[in-house]
Amino acid sequence: TGNYEGLNVLKYQNDKWYHDRKIKGFDISTKYFEFIDSTSIIVNHEYKGVYKLQLNGALTQVASIVKDNSVEKGLFSSIIKMKNKILYAYKKGIFYYDKKSASFKKDSILSNLYSPSNYNFGRLVKTRDSKVWLFTKTDINQISMSSVKGEYNIKKIPIKIPEKTC
């Protein structure tokens, strides 16, 4: 789990979650992160940017930290995993992590769900049923992976904003 002082490992035991240990070597506030594989993590910090962390096998220490410059840092940005696809969203669009190039690439389909002018807080939110939600100033979007490889199912729910009355 992430917190203001970095990353921690929790352990589930006897029907309760316990703090097991802090992962040493990365003390930046960590709200959003996703695993690339069992020892590699991508961390998003709205003010500092995106980092790739390589952990040791025991998950006790960060072995290396690399700042990812393939995407810009972004206020109200988020990072989630949808199926096996890591997505990063901020004002300029939604990007997916390409493992082959070890960088983020713009997802042209998802990036069309909002423009910088109707970007609200753009956070991608994943619910327990694995649905992903994206909120803009004008719409609520429900995103899921299609059974066709690489395609999305997108349900757009327009938000009607009441007109101002004097």
Side-chain angles (χ1 to χ4, degrees):
T1 182
N3 64 24
Y4 287 112
E5 298 173 355
L7 294 164
N8 294 271
V9 176
L10 301 179
K11 188 182 262 184
Y12 190 72
Q13 196 172 32
N14 300 326
D15 295 328
K16 292 183 181 177
W17 287 100
Y18 295 94
H19 181 265
D20 188 45
R21 66 187 171 276
K22 178 178 180 359
I23 298 174
K24 297 176 183 171
F26 188 77
D27 298 326
I28 294 174
S29 174
T30 306
K31 186 176 183 179
Y32 297 107
F33 68 94
E34 289 293 344
F35 278 86
I36 300 170
D37 58 41
S38 63
T39 58
S40 303
I41 300 175
I42 293 183
V43 176
N44 174 46
H45 188 282
E46 294 175 307
Y47 296 104
K48 296 183 182 196
V50 176
Y51 296 88
K52 293 180 211 169
L53 310 180
Q54 184 62 49
L55 307 180
N56 65 4
L59 303 180
T60 57
Q61 178 78 37
V62 175
S64 70
I65 302 170
V66 176
K67 182 127 183 338
D68 185 302
N69 293 314
S70 64
V71 288
E72 297 174 32
K73 64 183 175 183
L75 186 61
F76 305 119
S77 58
S78 62
I79 194 164
I80 65 154
K81 188 179 279 187
M82 184 167 67
K83 296 253 179 178
N84 289 321
K85 196 173 202 176
I86 296 174
L87 300 172
Y88 172 74
Y90 77 115
K91 191 171 190 164
K92 293 186 180 177
I94 299 176
F95 297 73
Y96 66 93
Y97 185 73
D98 179 51
K99 288 183 182 181
K100 289 180 185 173
S101 66
S103 64
F104 282 92
K105 309 240 184 228
K106 191 164 194 173
D107 188 305
S108 58
I109 295 169
L110 295 180
S111 291
N112 282 331
L113 294 176
Y114 63 84
S115 65
S117 64
N118 85 340
Y119 179 84
N120 191 12
F121 55 89
R123 290 215 172 105
L124 295 168
V125 177
K126 185 164 62 173
T127 55
R128 289 184 184 175
D129 59 1
S130 297
K131 290 184 178 141
V132 173
W133 298 86
L134 172 69
F135 303 87
T136 70
K137 289 180 181 177
T138 57
D139 304 292
I140 299 171
N141 298 278
Q142 180 192 54
I143 307 163
S144 60
M145 294 299 289
S146 169
S147 57
V148 177
K149 187 175 176 150
E151 292 189 15
Y152 302 103
N153 291 321
I154 299 169
K155 293 181 185 174
K156 188 175 270 209
I157 305 163
I159 300 171
K160 185 175 181 180
I161 299 172
E163 292 183 30
K164 291 182 181 180
T165 56
C166 294

